[in-house]
Amino acid sequence: MNTPRSPFAVDPALQAEIEQFLYHEAALLDEGCFEQWLSLMTPDIEYRMPVTQPALARGQRPIEGTRAMHFEDDHRGLRARVHRLGSKAAWSDQPPPLTRRSITNVRVEPGDDNSLRVRSNFVLYIVRRSAQVDLLAGTREDTLRRVEGSLAIARRSTHLDQQMILANPLSMLF
């Protein structure tokens, strides 16, 4: 008897490659290798974090285009953020916070135009000045494309679970 194949089923080698790519990306961010991290983005990257809307029924999605954003960057904006993080202008991040990212529940499905749609969950642990500890959790929706044989992030939308961000300041890259 044939079991129906899940619409999310992908080749196990591709699944492993994508997971390793996301783990590598998280390690670059945790190690402060922001220029290397930026090289994982396509030139036309869309990188955003919508504000979480309150009291939506389970499974109900907000209407796109009606949301406020914590940030909405392109490659130029990300480059400016990376430059700032590497300079003394990021005074609120001196000394730089210790971060640890966990990436879980990686789900892959084919996208349009030889792209891949990847959803994953994350937990970001942040320690500042050994006293302030912040914990952010949520979901990321990525579009990955191959650029010269390697995976690259063409679009990322980060959705935090909490409505109010109490972490101060929000200079993190997700």
Side-chain angles (χ1 to χ4, degrees):
M1 178 180 199
N2 288 343
T3 305
R5 187 176 168 141
S6 165
F8 294 101
V10 296
D11 176 57
L14 177 61
Q15 177 78 30
E17 179 186 12
I18 290 168
E19 289 174 3
Q20 290 302 309
F21 173 80
L22 295 176
Y23 301 154
H24 173 69
E25 179 208 6
L28 289 176
L29 289 171
D30 288 343
E31 294 164 7
C33 300
F34 303 122
E35 289 289 338
Q36 285 179 270
W37 172 81
L38 189 59
S39 73
L40 300 178
M41 308 297 142
T42 62
D44 61 343
I45 179 76
E46 295 176 29
Y47 186 86
R48 61 194 198 116
M49 179 186 284
V51 172
T52 302
Q53 293 182 346
L56 291 175
R58 183 171 295 280
Q60 183 181 2
R61 307 274 313 176
I63 299 169
E64 288 297 319
T66 63
R67 302 179 87 174
M69 298 287 173
H70 290 294
F71 55 77
E72 189 168 22
D73 288 320
D74 56 11
H75 203 277
R76 183 177 173 193
L78 286 177
R79 176 156 296 290
R81 289 176 70 180
V82 164
H83 176 74
R84 183 182 173 282
L85 286 171
S87 73
K88 292 183 180 179
W91 58 267
S92 60
D93 284 330
Q94 297 301 325
L98 169 71
T99 62
R100 292 288 175 252
R101 288 166 177 79
S102 293
I103 308 300
T104 65
N105 293 6
V106 177
R107 287 105 50 215
V108 181
E109 61 182 284
D112 300 331
D113 304 325
N114 296 319
S115 65
L116 298 162
R117 291 183 12 179
V118 179
R119 294 174 191 234
S120 60
N121 296 341
F122 71 89
V123 174
L124 173 55
Y125 176 80
I126 308 161
V127 178
R128 297 177 193 280
R129 296 178 180 83
S130 300
Q132 180 182 350
V133 175
D134 294 306
L135 191 63
L136 300 171
T139 300
R140 299 185 313 186
E141 298 174 359
D142 294 334
T143 300
L144 303 182
R145 287 195 305 243
R146 291 219 182 262
V147 177
E148 298 177 12
S150 298
L151 291 173
I153 301 169
R155 184 174 193 269
R156 171 162 292 162
S157 186
T158 303
H159 305 269
L160 292 177
D161 288 343
Q162 60 265 49
Q163 185 179 352
M164 287 183 56
I165 300 175
L166 302 177
N168 201 4
L170 185 62
S171 60
M172 294 292 113
L173 295 166
F174 291 86

